[in-house]
Amino acid sequence: MFNLREFIKKGLLDAVGKMADYQVILNAVGWFEKGVLTEEDLAQIELAIGISEQSVETEVEAETIVEGE
């Protein structure tokens, strides 16, 4: 059976790292205000954004080290 909440949450989680963080956040808040997403869903999205940011920082650090050799 189709579940709108899971569908929206999956789309937002897939957008992390592909869209600007603020766009993902604003979209998530919009769905939260409509009662589709829960605070728990927002926390999951926030966690995914944090993990994505750490991954990008690690990649930049690795590139800097390689360039410095």
Side-chain angles (χ1 to χ4, degrees), residues 18-50:
K18 297 176 185 136
M19 288 175 57
D21 294 345
Y22 79 91
Q23 290 176 312
V24 175
I25 291 167
L26 291 175
N27 279 310
V29 169
W31 287 108
F32 174 74
E33 288 176 343
K34 292 176 184 176
V36 175
L37 295 179
T38 64
E39 285 188 40
E40 181 181 300
D41 297 329
L42 298 183
Q44 279 185 297
I45 293 166
E46 181 181 39
L47 179 62
I49 290 171

